[in-house]
Structures are given as structure tokens and as C-alpha cells.
Amino acid sequence: MRRSVKLTIGLLALALGWPVGAGADRNADRGAEIFSARDRLDEGFGDQRVSMQLTLRSANGRTAERRTRMQLLEGPPGQGDKTLVVFDAPPDIAGTALLTHEALGAADDSQWLYLPAYKRVKRIAARDRSGSFAGTEFSYEDLAGDKFEDFTYRFVGEASLRGQQVYRVDRMPIAPNSEYSRQETWVDPDTHQILQAYLYDKKGRHLKTLETGDWVRYRGNYWRPRTLAMTHVPSGRATLLKTSEYEFGVGLKEKDFSPEALSGLGR
Amino acid sequence: MKKARLDTRYARALRFALLAGLAVTPGAFADWGGWIELEGRWFPDTPLYPPQSDGDASVALRPEYRTQAGDLSFALLPFLRVDSEDRERTHADLREANVKFDAWGLSWLVGIGQESWGVAESYHPVDIVNQTDFVEDIATDEKLGQPMIQAKRLTDWGTVQLLVLPGFRERTFPGEHGRLYLPIDFEHPIYQSPQRERHVDWALRWAKTFGTWDLGLSYFWGTRRDPRLEPDPAKGLASVYYDLIHQVGLDLQGAVGNWTFKLEYIYRDTPVQRYSAAVAGAEYTLYGMADTAADLSLYAEYTYNGTDNTLATLYQNDLFTGARFAFNDLQSTEVQLGVLSDLEQDSLLWRLEGSRRLGENWKLRLTLQGFPRTAPGEPAYYWRKDGYARLELLRYF
């Protein structure tokens, strides 16, 4: 509701060429418009499934591989998505599963972790979501999704990234328990997807850099990256994520995303 | 004798499950996996019982086969351990042999399955579906496969799960040639039910998430999994009683700020006593310490068990404190320490565990278990000379 009102005003203002409020507000609206368009374009895919190959690189340059599969159920309008990530390799952590029920705005997402060695579904404390997911540079929060409603925005300007003209937008998480204070994003003006992001921790320090690439368009409007690289800036550790082809409309159900469904997913 | 009978029954169930699994999955997803383990245990103290030795070596095999086609899946996980010293520890089991499918608006599991309930770290009073495989480890949740028909449904008012459990599994206990022995007559268990291990048990659980809290309520009617152990001076061994019980249980876990809170509570009606048992505690985690990816989780839990049968529980009135250090490195190195101290008697036990993956497919695990102080009447009293070091090398395939 709130979102659509804001959106309507923004669109109206854009259409009529009116300046909306002072300069700061105009930049907030322009930043918000870019990201709300991204979510709008992505609506209606229903569910998706993808396999992911992760390469972990330690600070001293050694590497190790992880294989996971991820499935996602799109939430009804105004509600968050449900995501499940399950490890397939290495075999000793196969079956390790992370379930996220995304909450929009200031509310904390609910996350559960299943560790086969302990045979227990553990709640992840809201403020603990900065933890590394199975040794990767992706934190629990990074895997929980980033909906339009989760941030406030500021349009910074236009910039050039890898020879491409892009939007520079800063976005600030609304949830007080977020591990980040601010995210600087470089956004593709056509797809409205993030090509690069600098993630700043609560102390304002540049903690991580996310780079996305090999974007593929599925079913007309759904853009998905085939590569994601997350670098931990202070240590130089990095995780490179490569996906398989995405599958959409695979018939996933709510019951596949309940905490009770987490055990026994290993294979 | 009894073992042999049980085995035939499982062989039949297995044949059925295999046929069912193969018949319905032409060319769909199928996968072999599993592990083989070499284990050595060393007990530095002179044993309490003369036939026992200073250590043992054993090998365990746990293959895994899974197939899936649409909503239908099949799992087969046999288990075998061969131990150099203890005939009781040499044992085979079907951890899982089941078919899962969706029908009539329900999710079904038919066959031998594993079902764990509970949220705490140290003690799981609500966990009653599967029998503990006690010869594997006195302190882990290693469980025997349980024959079951399970129906589950996710509704707007929570997940409801009904289990029919035909075929009771006796708890495994180390024999007198094995360390961590208890002087009990496990070869002649006394059942309350005239059908003995053929009594059909029932279990029901409802679970729902409320904001950042997860609540579960459960009910069980059937043969208790943890036997009552009553000393019998005539035999010189304690008798093993499998009573019929009713048990209601509650489990709750919630995330508040940096904390996770956990509670498990049961109330149990047995022929000799009505009592409750509980565990309540909290977990606190420090993430990404000093720009490493390492996490340190700290635990504190109070455990209570109101049974008069002190020989049957370690958790009468105890405080568990623990720490888990996950390095989150490429090799998934972990170290954890747990201490259980009795608040009534002068009794304390501790365990230190470390594990690390070697390469892609190997894993090394070291466990140190100590019983520095024990009190007569509790099970650990019989283990006071059984502190050990255990080394496990696992190869996954």
C-alpha cells in the first residue's frame, strides 16, 4: 500500500517533470524508483530452482569448492520470498540447509539452519546474520534477499563501470539488525540489476564487495546473474559463485519451505 | 535369537522398499554415496571390569542410496560396525529404508526412518521417536532406524505430523568386553506390553512459527525408549524395563537480538511414577571475530529429570556449559567443548571434540571424554575409569 502510493507519486512527478520536494528528496525518490522498477520487473515468476558452484579462496590464495542447490518461492504481493539453500558437496557437509522467510521493511527475516551432524534445526538469532554461511563470504543476511522495501535510497549520479554507463545509488537497510549501514550500488540502467556493490558495516568500514556478471534474461523479463563474486575487503578472502541455468515454474510448494522440511535433504 | 528375527523382518521391509523404489523411478535422479570410518579408542585407566581392554579398533560402513522422481523419493541407508573387542558393538542396522510420497493432501513416509525432535544442545527429553544407538556413543544422537508410517500436513495453523510406529527397537548397550559398560541385564528386557517389541506406538506433533519463535507440542503413547534400570541384587545386574508410557512434550526456540533461547519440557506417565523432565537454556554467538570468518558459540543450559530411577539419566539436576568454535575455513575446522556438572552431587563430565576435513573427501575427528568426578547411583559412576580418546578417520564416497 505504502509502496504503491509512493510509487504513484514518484511516477506522476516524473511524468510531469515536477521537482518533488527538495533536492535530497528528489534523489531519494529517484534511487527508490530505480529499485522499485527492478522488483516490479521481477514480479510473477512464481518459483525458481538453480544449482550453484562456489569457489572459496582464502587470504593466502588456497581454494576449495562447494556445491549447493537453491530453490525460491515468490511471496504473494507485499510479502517476502522463501528461500532454501542446500549443500551437496563436500560430502561431509552435504545436507546442510539454510531456510529463509524474508520479511519486508524493518522486520527481521526468519532464518533456520539445519546441520546434519547435529540433526537439529537451529534458529539464527536476528543480530547474528552477519555469520559466514558454511565458510563462504556470503553471510546469512546476504542470502536472505534484498527487496525494495528493505532499504531507503539515495540517487548519487551516473557513473561508468567496466565501460558501461550505470546509475550510482546508495541504499541504507531499514532493519536495525542488519550487518550493514550502507550499500553503494552500481546499477544497470536497462535491467535495473546491481552490477557491483560496496557493502559497509555498522562502523562505516568497507567490508565486502559484490560483483555480478553474465546476466541472462529468462522468460522475457526475469534477469538472473550466472556469476556472483563476494570479496571480504579487509582480509582479501573471496567466494566466486557460478550458477547453472535457472529453472522457473518447477511446482515448488509452501511445505517445501517449512522448518520441519529441513532434515533429510542431503543426497 | 531375537536379533535374527528382527533381521528377517528388516530384510523383508528392505526388499519391499527396494522394489518400490526401483519400480517407480525410471531414469530419474539416483545417487550413491555414504562413508566408511576407521575408529580407534584408547582408555588410559585400568578397566573396572576384568574382561575389558585398554582400547579398541573398529570399522564402520554407512552407504547411502537415494532416488527421486517428482514427489516420490526413496532412501536406503544401511549401517554396519565391526568392533575388535565388544560383540555388542559389532552391529548392523538400517538407519533408513523408506519411500516418501505425497497423497491425499498429505506427505507420507513409509518404511524405516529417522525423526529427531528437540531444540536444545545438551539433552533432548522430547526426542522419542527413534531409539538411541548407545554403543555408538554415550553422548551423541546416533539413532537406530525406526519402522514407521508418517503422515504430515502443512496447514495455515501449523505443521501436523502423525506417526504410527510398529516394531520397537531395543536400546543397544556395550557388552562386558566393551568399555562404557553398564551392569544391566539388557539380554533379558522386561516389557510391560504383552506384545513386547511388537506393540504399536503412536506419536503426534504439531509445530508452528510465531514471529521469531518456533513452538512444538507433541504426544507419545507406547514403549519408552530409555529403559528403566532397576538394580536386582539377586542377579548382580540391574533389570531393564520397557514400560508403556504416555508423554506430552513441548519444545520452543526463539531468536531475540544476539540470543537464541531454547526450552524442552516433557511430562511423562509411567506405571511406576509420573514425572517431568526439562532443559532450558540460551546460545550466544560471536560472528566473524577479528576479521576472520570464525564464529564462537557459547551455550548454557539447565537440565532436569524428575525420575526416581537415577541409573537411567545423566541429567537429573545439572548445568551444561559449552562452547563451539567454527573456524569457517576451507576445511571446515571445528572445535567444541562441553561440561556437564551436577548441581546436587559431586559429579562432572566433559567432552572435547575437534574435526577437520582433509582434501575433499576425508574427515578427521578427535574426541576426548573425561569423567573426573562421579557419584554412586548415576550411570557415569560405572564409567569413572572409562575416560577415553577417540580418533576417527572417515572417507566419503
Side-chain angles (χ1 to χ4, degrees):
Chain A
M1 190 58 204
R2 194 173 45 104
R3 168 180 160 185
S4 60
V5 170
K6 221 163 137 185
L7 206 69
T8 318
I9 295 171
L11 284 171
L12 204 67
L14 277 174
L16 299 175
W18 285 345
V20 184
D25 280 350
R26 192 161 57 235
N27 285 339
D29 284 349
R30 187 151 181 218
E33 171 51 28
I34 289 164
F35 275 90
S36 93
R38 179 193 68 159
D39 283 14
R40 215 166 46 241
L41 286 171
D42 203 50
E43 270 170 18
F45 64 89
D47 63 24
Q48 76 178 45
R49 191 162 59 191
V50 66
S51 296
M52 307 187 294
Q53 175 94 34
L54 294 97
T55 306
L56 282 57
R57 201 185 66 223
S58 70
N60 58 20
R62 290 195 312 127
T63 61
E65 302 286 320
R66 307 270 193 269
R67 265 190 300 116
T68 70
R69 64 202 130 100
M70 181 202 207
Q71 50 191 42
L72 193 151
L73 186 68
E74 188 183 9
Q79 284 182 43
D81 301 337
K82 294 179 176 174
T83 315
L84 179 64
V85 183
V86 185
F87 273 81
D88 287 328
D92 64 311
I93 58 165
T96 298
L98 177 72
L99 173 69
T100 305
H101 290 183
E102 186 184 20
L104 302 184
D108 291 315
D109 302 329
S110 283
Q111 289 189 301
W112 297 265
L113 183 66
Y114 178 79
L115 297 167
Y118 305 97
K119 293 186 186 171
R120 294 285 176 278
V121 176
K122 297 174 78 157
R123 267 264 182 191
I124 296 169
R127 258 179 234 159
D128 286 348
R129 296 175 47 228
S130 58
S132 154
F133 180 45
T136 69
E137 297 315 318
F138 292 93
S139 67
Y140 300 118
E141 183 175 348
D142 294 332
L143 292 163
D146 60 335
K147 278 284 196 300
F148 168 74
E149 291 87 342
D150 294 337
F151 301 89
T152 59
Y153 300 88
R154 194 164 62 86
F155 182 77
V156 178
E158 296 195 3
S160 166
L161 180 75
R162 297 175 219 135
Q164 185 183 352
Q165 274 304 110
V166 294
Y167 295 139
R168 268 280 298 107
V169 180
D170 282 1
R171 54 180 198 176
M172 282 61 67
I174 293 172
N177 287 331
S178 171
E179 65 176 301
Y180 305 116
S181 58
R182 184 167 58 98
Q183 304 185 346
E184 291 178 0
T185 66
W186 284 256
V187 180
D188 186 311
D190 297 324
T191 66
H192 292 213
Q193 299 290 346
I194 295 175
L195 301 178
Q196 178 175 284
Y198 285 1
L199 311 178
Y200 292 81
D201 68 12
K202 284 278 163 112
K203 294 172 201 140
R205 187 177 58 141
H206 183 188
L207 186 68
K208 294 191 231 177
T209 296
L210 174 71
E211 287 163 291
T212 67
D214 301 332
W215 285 86
V216 179
R217 181 182 214 158
Y218 290 92
R219 294 194 168 188
N221 21 332
Y222 307 131
W223 287 93
R224 296 289 181 272
R226 297 292 301 274
T227 62
L228 288 150
M230 187 70 101
T231 308
H232 184 260
V233 177
S235 69
R237 294 189 313 265
T239 299
L240 177 67
L241 190 159
K242 285 189 172 164
T243 77
S244 65
E245 290 291 339
Y246 290 76
E247 292 173 86
F248 291 90
V250 288
L252 300 172
K253 302 185 190 84
E254 284 285 338
K255 72 174 176 72
D256 303 322
F257 297 86
S258 82
E260 286 74 39
L262 282 185
S263 57
L265 292 168
R267 66 182 196 198
Chain B
M1 253 320 266
K2 207 176 310 130
K3 283 236 171 68
R5 201 168 64 228
L6 219 63
D7 288 347
T8 356
R9 224 168 59 209
Y10 281 120
R12 218 181 301 140
L14 171 63
R15 261 201 312 274
F16 165 75
L18 260 175
L19 285 172
L22 293 178
V24 293
T25 50
F29 157 85
D31 205 2
W32 276 101
W35 47 260
I36 184 165
E37 179 204 70
L38 291 172
E39 183 210 65
R41 294 190 300 177
W42 178 56
F43 299 84
D45 290 337
T46 309
L48 218 50
Y49 298 90
Q52 299 175 347
S53 45
D54 290 346
D56 66 347
S58 73
V59 54
L61 184 67
R62 218 283 328 266
E64 182 171 341
Y65 177 71
R66 292 179 195 272
T67 65
Q68 197 184 338
D71 279 334
L72 188 73
S73 66
F74 168 74
L76 177 66
L77 288 85
F79 173 81
L80 171 73
R81 180 178 295 282
V82 179
D83 186 85
S84 65
E85 305 300 313
D86 185 1
R87 268 171 46 201
E88 296 296 326
R89 204 161 182 256
T90 294
H91 68 301
D93 182 37
L94 276 178
R95 295 296 198 233
E96 285 187 52
N98 59 59
V99 183
K100 285 190 223 170
F101 56 94
D102 289 350
W104 309 294
L106 299 165
S107 301
W108 295 83
L109 186 154
V110 179
I112 296 160
Q114 296 268 339
E115 181 68 23
S116 315
W117 294 346
V119 293
E121 195 67 20
S122 57
Y123 170 46
H124 299 113
V126 300
D127 193 18
I128 193 156
V129 176
N130 286 78
Q131 178 61 277
T132 299
D133 195 356
F134 202 62
V135 292
E136 279 299 299
D137 196 320
I138 57 160
T140 71
D141 301 307
E142 235 2 89
K143 301 282 182 171
L144 297 170
Q146 169 66 49
M148 61 174 76
I149 299 168
Q150 186 189 144
K152 205 194 277 194
R153 190 186 167 101
L154 180 73
T155 69
D156 289 340
W157 34 274
T159 302
V160 183
Q161 185 184 14
L162 175 71
L163 295 118
V164 183
L165 308 166
F168 173 80
R169 308 291 314 274
E170 281 173 31
R171 182 163 294 203
T172 60
F173 287 104
E176 58 180 348
H177 290 267
R179 300 296 285 262
L180 302 158
Y181 170 72
L182 285 173
I184 60 173
D185 189 12
F186 56 83
E187 306 238 17
H188 305 97
I190 300 157
Y191 287 91
Q192 185 189 350
S193 165
Q195 295 122 303
R196 299 175 59 88
E197 75 274 10
R198 283 160 195 259
H199 184 270
V200 178
D201 303 338
W202 296 78
L204 184 68
R205 185 167 186 266
W206 167 84
K208 184 164 168 53
T209 291
F210 297 93
T212 56
W213 292 85
D214 303 323
L215 175 67
L217 296 174
S218 55
Y219 172 73
F220 173 86
W221 178 63
T223 302
R224 61 188 294 168
R225 273 42 179 159
D226 53 330
R228 184 159 56 87
L229 305 172
E230 299 287 358
D232 184 346
K235 277 196 285 195
L237 295 171
S239 294
V240 174
Y241 291 89
Y242 287 111
D243 305 321
L244 286 173
I245 61 162
H246 292 270
Q247 173 174 309
V248 289
L250 176 151
D251 57 88
L252 179 70
Q253 97 173 300
V256 180
N258 289 82
W259 295 84
T260 316
F261 294 99
K262 302 151 189 214
L263 171 71
E264 290 183 37
Y265 170 85
I266 59 160
Y267 183 77
R268 190 181 261 199
D269 188 3
T270 81
V272 292
Q273 193 196 357
R274 289 178 178 168
Y275 64 92
S276 56
V279 54
E283 175 181 341
Y284 184 91
T285 303
L286 295 148
Y287 279 106
M289 299 165 70
D291 276 334
T292 67
D295 306 330
L296 176 66
S297 300
L298 302 168
Y299 306 91
E301 290 177 354
Y302 170 71
T303 71
Y304 171 79
N305 189 327
T307 180
D308 294 333
N309 188 217
T310 56
L311 188 54
T313 181
L314 284 169
Y315 304 100
Q316 264 195 312
N317 182 9
D318 290 59
L319 184 69
F320 168 82
T321 46
R324 187 167 81 99
F325 197 83
F327 288 79
N328 279 321
D329 55 349
L330 301 182
Q331 300 315 124
S332 304
T333 312
E334 275 187 30
V335 178
Q336 56 181 324
L337 174 70
V339 178
L340 187 71
S341 45
D342 200 309
L343 299 174
E344 250 167 72
Q345 310 178 83
D346 185 25
S347 166
L348 186 126
L349 51 100
W350 60 266
R351 172 184 286 236
L352 183 67
E353 283 175 299
S355 67
R356 181 176 168 82
R357 179 171 48 250
L358 308 171
E360 269 284 285
N361 296 316
W362 296 80
K363 187 130 193 165
L364 193 64
R365 243 193 329 248
L366 176 69
T367 307
L368 304 175
Q369 169 84 56
F371 305 97
R373 293 205 297 276
T374 58
E378 61 165 7
Y381 184 68
Y382 297 98
W383 303 330
R384 62 192 185 273
K385 298 290 181 196
D386 290 345
Y388 64 84
R390 176 175 66 189
L391 193 65
E392 293 160 277
L393 179 65
L394 289 99
R395 167 77 165 102
Y396 292 82
F397 51 84

